[in-house]
Amino acid sequence: IFPVLFRDDEDTFKILVATDIHLGYLEKDPVRGNDTFVTFNEILDHAQKNEVDFVLLGGDLFHENKPSRKTVHSCLESLRKYCMGDRPVQFEILSDQAVNFHYSKFPWVNYQDENLNISIPVFSIHGNHDDPTGADALCALDILSCAGLVNHFGRSTSVEKIAISPILLRKGRTKIALYGLGSIPDERLYRMFVNKQVTMLRPKEDEDSWFNLFVIHQNRSKHGATNYIPEQFLDDFIDLVVWGHEHECKITPFQNEQQRFYISQPGSSVVTSLSPGEAVKKHIGLLHVKGKKMKMEKIALETVRTFHIEDVVLADHPDLFNPDNPNVTQAIQAFCMEKVELMLDNAERERLGNPHQPEKPIIRLRVDYAGGFEPFSIYRFSQKYMHRVANPKDIIHFFRHRGQKEKKDIDLNFGKLVSRPTEAMTLRVEDLVKQYFQTAEKKVQLSLLTERGMGEAVQEFVDKEEKDAIEELVKFQLEKTQRFLKERRTEAEEEKIDEEVRKFRESRKKNTEEEDKEVREAMLRARAHRSEDEVLVAASSDEDSMDMEMMGVSNPSDGLSSTQSRGRGRARGRARGARGQNSTTRGSSRRGRGTTSQESTSSSRSYKPVSVPAKNMTIMDGRCLFHDEVIAFVSISPVHL
C-alpha cells in the first residue's frame, strides 16, 4: 500500500490475519470432514514459519456454537503444536489487561502467564457461529482462553451502550491500538450506532502516534434496511479495519473514500456455501506495521479444496433445446454432463503441481430451466460422479429466474404488475413473526405481547434450541402486565382492562431499550431452567446407567451422536471499556463477569403451559407450533388478572 520496504527489525510488527475458519464444518462428511482442520494447521504453520508476533482471528473460529469433542480436541492439538514454544515474544502490553480481559478468570495475556510457554499469541474475537450463549454466557473461545491458548477479546454485549477499550501493544517504536468487537445482532448494533451509543476509547498519551487496528465481525453487504453495518459508521481515526463474517476473499486493503481508513476482508478459509463468492481463491494475510505505515502480503492457502461454479440458462440456447421436443430432457442432461466434465478438467489442471490440495473438487452447476423446460433427476445424475467430486449430491441446482417470461405471446397488463425490489432480502425468523402477526386476522393478532419480543424468543428457540424461551417470555410479559394493572387499580371490566393493556403494549413497543431488557431477562430465565434441567437429566441418566450396569445391561444410547446446534446466536454477558493505562501488574484485578441468572417467579394465576417442541423443526413449523400456545396464554379473562 505504501512505497516503503519493511524489514524484520525491532520496530516492525508481523501479524498473521485470518477470519472465518469454521472448524468442524461438515466434520461427519466422509470426504470433506477434515478440510477445516487441515487448513487450520496450514494457517498456523505459516505463522510459525514467518515468525509472526501474533495471530489475529476475526471470528467464527468454530462453525458450531456447541462444537463437538473432536472439533475442540483438534483445535487444541493445533494450537499446542504451533503456538507453544521457547521463542520469546517481542512486544509488550501497555493497557490495563484487567479491563481488556475483564470477563475472564485470568485477566492477562497468555504469554505473560508464568505457567505457560507461548511463542505465538493468538488474539481472537467471537463470531456469530461461536458466540457466547447459555446460562453462563460462555462460548468455545472461553474454553480456549481458560486453557491459555487463545486471548479472547472484544466481548461486549450491552444492549444500551458499548465502549470499546483497545489493547495497547508496543514493539520498539511502533505502537498499535488493537480494537475488537465480537458479533452482535446487526439490527441492534445498527441502532446503537445511529443513537451514538458506540464509543471507541483512545489513549490519552500521543493519540496520533498509534496505529489503530479494528477487528469486526458483522454483515458488510446490505441484507436489509438495518441488517448490516455501513462502513461510514466507523470512526475515521482508524487506520485499518479487518472485516470478518463475509466469506468472499478481498484481503488486499482498499481505502474508504469518506472515512479514509483501509479495509481488509480476508474471507473464509473453507467453502461453506456453494455461491460465486466462495469460488474466489482463499488467502490469509501477513500484515507488516511500522509506525503509521503498513503492508499486507497475501498468502494463498494450498490445502483448500478447489471449488468451481457455473451458471447455465437453457432459454439462451434455442438452437440446442426446444421445450416441445420429447427428447429435450435427455439433451439437457447430456449438455450438463459436458459442462461438469469441463469443470472437472479445469480443476485437475489447477491441482497439478500442488500435492497439498485435496484430490476431489467441489463442483456446482446452476441451471435456469425457465421457458417450459423440465428438470431431470439430480440423484441419478449425481451417481455418475460419486467417486470424482466431493459433493455429488449438490452438483446440479435447478432454479427459475422469476423475471423471465414463460411465453412471449401472452398479453401482459403492465399497469397491474406489482414492482419488486431489485435487492435480495434475507428472510429471518423475526421478520416472519412480525409479518405473520401484523397480517393475520384481527382476532388472532397479539394483544398483549409484542412482535419484536416474540420474534427474539422464537429466534432463540430455532437457532439455540432454547425450548423454554417462548414460555419464559410469555410469563415475564404477562407478569409485568399484571403488575401494571394492579398499580393502576383497573376495575374488573373487560373493556377497561383491554384499553389499559393496549396502551401499555403500545408504550412498550416505543421503548425499544426497555423491551430489549425484557427479552434479555426472559432469556436468562430460560437458560437458568435449561441448566437446571440438564443437571437433573444428567443425574438421572447417571443413576440409570449405574442401575443398568449392575444388571449387566449396556446403555443403548452409547455411541449415538447428539444433534449439534448451529445458529446466528446473540452474544451474552456484560463488558465495559476504559482508557488504556500503563500497568505492569499482571493479576492486579481478577474480575469475575458478575452475571447472574434471575430466578423465575411464581404466581397463583392459571395458564396453559407451552408444550416443549421437538428439536428438529423448521422455522415455519416452529411458528405454527407456538402460535396456538401464545394465543392461549394471552387470551386471559379478568378473573385471571
Side-chain angles (χ1 to χ4, degrees):
I1 300 173
F2 297 97
V4 61
L5 295 177
F6 284 84
R7 293 175 295 180
D8 295 341
D9 54 26
E10 65 276 3
D11 296 328
T12 302
F13 272 96
K14 286 201 302 183
I15 308 167
L16 190 81
V17 179
T19 65
D20 296 271
I21 297 173
H22 286 273
L23 288 175
Y25 175 71
L26 291 182
E27 62 177 329
K28 296 182 180 179
D29 188 281
V31 178
R32 304 164 64 185
N34 289 322
D35 285 4
T36 58
F37 308 125
V38 173
T39 303
F40 186 49
N41 283 334
E42 182 189 359
I43 293 172
L44 296 181
D45 184 58
H46 281 297
Q48 190 178 75
K49 289 179 178 177
N50 287 280
E51 296 183 345
V52 300
D53 291 296
F54 63 91
V55 175
L56 183 61
L57 302 180
D60 280 354
L61 175 60
F62 295 96
H63 184 70
E64 300 284 353
N65 187 268
K66 302 169 186 176
S68 67
R69 283 175 289 185
K70 173 188 174 182
T71 299
V72 175
H73 179 270
S74 298
C75 180
L76 293 172
E77 182 182 10
S78 299
L79 292 171
R80 179 170 177 174
K81 177 180 179 181
Y82 292 100
C83 298
M84 300 188 76
D86 295 327
R87 188 173 71 88
V89 176
Q90 301 293 334
F91 66 91
E92 57 181 329
I93 308 290
L94 302 180
S95 55
D96 186 356
Q97 298 182 49
V99 173
N100 300 138
F101 309 107
H102 71 275
Y103 43 80
S104 173
K105 298 295 183 181
F106 306 95
W108 56 80
V109 71
N110 61 350
Y111 75 86
Q112 290 183 353
D113 194 315
E114 60 186 10
N115 298 314
L116 300 173
N117 210 22
I118 303 296
S119 60
I120 303 178
V122 178
F123 292 87
S124 178
I125 63 172
H126 64 262
N128 61 306
H129 279 257
D130 52 9
D131 65 316
T133 186
D136 297 319
L138 295 174
C139 65
L141 285 179
D142 292 320
I143 298 176
L144 303 182
S145 176
C146 185
L149 296 174
V150 167
N151 301 293
H152 180 201
F153 75 109
R155 179 167 170 174
S156 181
T157 56
S158 173
V159 298
E160 298 176 354
K161 290 185 179 180
I162 295 178
I164 308 174
S165 184
I167 303 175
L168 303 181
L169 316 173
R170 181 174 67 187
K171 182 181 181 183
R173 291 176 294 180
T174 300
K175 297 183 293 184
I176 294 180
L178 178 59
Y179 297 85
L181 183 61
S183 178
I184 295 176
D186 292 290
E187 292 183 341
R188 181 189 302 168
L189 186 58
Y190 186 101
R191 184 174 67 250
M192 296 174 76
F193 269 112
V194 170
N195 295 332
K196 301 187 183 303
Q197 295 174 334
V198 180
T199 306
M200 300 184 70
L201 306 177
R202 302 187 66 180
K204 291 181 179 179
E205 301 82 10
D206 302 324
E207 64 178 24
D208 294 331
S209 65
W210 294 85
F211 183 88
N212 300 293
L213 176 58
F214 183 35
V215 191
I216 187 172
H217 190 99
Q218 302 291 155
N219 276 333
R220 185 179 171 200
S221 56
K222 190 174 182 180
H223 293 274
T226 60
N227 198 20
Y228 76 114
I229 303 301
E231 298 172 6
Q232 287 72 21
F233 281 3
L234 307 183
D235 290 299
D236 56 3
F237 71 85
I238 300 172
D239 296 296
L240 176 65
V241 179
V242 175
W243 207 299
H245 185 65
E246 302 288 352
H247 281 205
E248 183 176 355
C249 183
K250 299 179 180 178
I251 198 167
T252 301
F254 62 95
Q255 193 172 31
N256 181 286
E257 296 299 331
Q258 284 184 299
Q259 303 297 85
R260 308 303 297 173
F261 51 64
Y262 286 84
I263 301 175
S264 174
Q265 181 179 302
S268 66
S269 60
V270 63
V271 177
T272 61
S273 63
L274 303 183
S275 60
E278 294 274 21
V280 179
K281 181 70 176 177
K282 304 291 186 182
H283 292 83
I284 55 175
L286 184 59
L287 176 65
H288 301 259
V289 178
K290 184 174 183 179
K292 293 284 288 185
K293 298 184 181 298
M294 66 176 176
K295 182 184 73 173
M296 180 73 80
E297 179 184 343
K298 295 171 60 175
I299 301 177
L301 293 173
E302 298 179 351
T303 59
V304 178
R305 194 178 297 274
T306 56
F307 173 40
H308 293 265
I309 184 170
E310 187 174 341
D311 289 353
V312 173
V313 180
L314 299 181
D316 292 345
H317 303 276
D319 54 332
L320 297 178
F321 310 116
N322 181 4
D324 297 329
N325 187 343
N327 298 323
V328 66
T329 303
Q330 290 80 357
I332 294 174
Q333 185 170 351
F335 180 78
C336 292
M337 290 181 63
E338 292 180 4
K339 289 289 185 180
V340 171
E341 290 292 340
L342 183 59
M343 285 192 284
L344 285 172
D345 292 340
N346 294 334
E348 183 63 26
R349 281 194 296 269
E350 184 178 333
R351 197 178 68 86
L352 291 176
N354 183 8
H356 303 292
Q357 198 169 73
E359 181 179 356
K360 296 181 180 180
I362 302 173
I363 301 296
R364 182 70 151 184
L365 183 64
R366 304 192 300 185
V367 181
D368 182 355
Y369 67 101
F373 301 99
E374 295 293 333
F376 53 80
S377 173
I378 297 176
Y379 300 103
R380 190 176 303 170
F381 184 89
S382 63
Q383 290 178 356
K384 302 179 177 65
Y385 301 96
M386 290 294 295
H387 303 290
R388 300 179 62 188
V389 300
N391 62 319
K393 296 180 181 179
D394 300 323
I395 294 180
I396 300 291
H397 172 63
F398 287 102
F399 71 98
R400 284 184 178 180
H401 192 273
R402 294 182 179 180
Q404 190 168 354
K405 295 182 294 184
E406 292 288 341
K407 295 183 179 180
K408 297 182 179 180
D409 55 349
I410 298 179
D411 186 16
L412 296 178
N413 185 354
F414 291 95
K416 295 183 179 180
L417 293 179
V418 179
S419 60
R420 292 180 176 268
T422 57
E423 185 178 352
M425 303 290 285
T426 302
L427 194 60
R428 301 177 302 115
V429 177
E430 298 97 324
D431 301 330
L432 281 173
V433 174
K434 185 176 181 180
Q435 179 183 358
Y436 176 76
F437 282 113
Q438 287 182 347
T439 59
E441 297 179 9
K442 187 173 182 180
K443 63 181 181 180
V444 297
Q445 286 183 347
L446 292 177
S447 58
L448 188 150
L449 307 178
T450 60
E451 292 86 1
R452 177 183 176 81
M454 185 56 63
E456 294 278 351
V458 178
Q459 186 72 59
E460 289 287 317
F461 161 66
V462 174
D463 285 345
K464 301 297 177 64
E465 296 185 4
E466 294 288 358
K467 64 180 186 298
D468 296 325
I470 301 173
E471 180 179 2
E472 287 300 330
L473 179 74
V474 173
K475 281 188 193 176
F476 185 86
Q477 295 190 347
L478 181 60
E479 291 168 2
K480 191 166 183 178
T481 306
Q482 289 174 335
R483 289 195 299 269
F484 172 79
L485 294 176
K486 288 179 181 178
E487 292 173 358
R488 297 291 294 266
R489 297 183 179 179
T490 305
E491 298 180 5
E493 295 181 11
E494 187 171 352
E495 293 183 359
K496 292 184 178 181
I497 291 177
D498 290 342
E499 179 65 20
E500 292 293 339
V501 169
R502 186 187 63 79
K503 292 180 180 178
F504 183 53
R505 180 176 181 272
E506 293 300 323
S507 65
R508 282 176 27 235
K509 288 177 63 176
K510 294 178 180 178
N511 192 345
T512 56
E513 294 183 2
E514 182 69 22
E515 189 165 4
D516 284 339
K517 289 182 180 179
E518 290 184 12
V519 175
R520 184 175 180 78
E521 188 169 349
M523 295 308 102
L524 287 175
R525 284 188 182 187
R527 295 190 189 98
H529 288 174
R530 200 266 304 269
S531 299
E532 294 172 1
D533 293 342
E534 289 177 349
V535 171
L536 293 175
V537 171
S540 63
S541 63
D542 290 342
E543 293 177 0
D544 293 342
S545 299
M546 292 177 62
D547 294 340
M548 295 175 71
E549 290 176 0
M550 293 177 64
M551 296 172 62
V553 181
S554 60
N555 193 341
S557 64
D558 290 345
L560 296 179
S561 59
S562 60
T563 302
Q564 298 286 327
S565 173
R566 179 178 64 202
R568 303 168 35 234
R570 291 166 173 74
R572 308 291 178 214
R574 176 181 293 174
R576 68 175 182 85
R579 296 189 180 275
Q581 301 172 357
N582 292 337
S583 176
T584 56
T585 304
R586 179 182 61 188
S588 59
S589 175
R590 300 193 180 189
R591 225 170 266 171
R593 290 171 42 257
T595 301
T596 58
S597 299
Q598 298 193 12
E599 298 293 335
S600 59
T601 59
S602 60
S603 65
S604 59
R605 69 188 182 281
S606 61
Y607 56 85
K608 179 183 177 182
V610 176
S611 58
V612 178
K615 283 190 175 181
N616 297 327
M617 301 186 67
T618 64
I619 294 175
M620 298 299 294
D621 292 338
R623 185 187 71 178
C624 296
L625 175 67
F626 81 79
H627 170 257
D628 293 336
E629 305 293 351
V630 169
I631 297 303
F633 255 121
V634 300
S635 300
I636 52 178
S637 65
V639 177
H640 293 149
L641 292 175

